[in-house]
Amino acid sequence: MMIVAFLGGGIAGIIGAACTLLFTDLGWGMALLAYFAVGYGLPLAVLAANSVTRSQDSDLPTPDMAHR
C-alpha cells in the first residue's frame, strides 16, 4: 500500500508541477513546492486514512468458526 501511495503521489506531483508551470506565472519555485506538497502530502494522507480505518476494523467482533 505504501509503494502504491508514493508512486501515485509522485505522478500527481509531476502533473501538479507541470500544470503550475504551464497555466500560471508563478515560476520554478512554486512548481517545486507543488511537486513536494502533492507528491508527499497525498501519500501521507492516504496512509494516515488507511491506518485510521484499519484500527477501527479491529474493534469488530470476529466469528469463531475455527472452534466448531
Side-chain angles (χ1 to χ4, degrees), residues 2-65:
M2 185 183 303
I3 294 170
V4 173
F6 277 98
L7 283 175
I11 293 168
I14 290 171
I15 291 171
C19 289
T20 301
L21 286 174
L22 291 175
F23 300 121
T24 65
D25 293 331
L26 296 175
W28 287 96
M30 290 304 287
L32 189 63
L33 181 70
Y35 171 74
F36 283 113
V38 174
Y40 289 109
L42 181 68
L44 292 177
V46 168
L47 292 175
N50 188 22
S51 69
V52 168
T53 57
R54 191 173 286 176
S55 68
Q56 289 176 355
D57 289 341
S58 64
D59 295 339
L60 296 174
T62 57
D64 293 329
M65 296 299 285

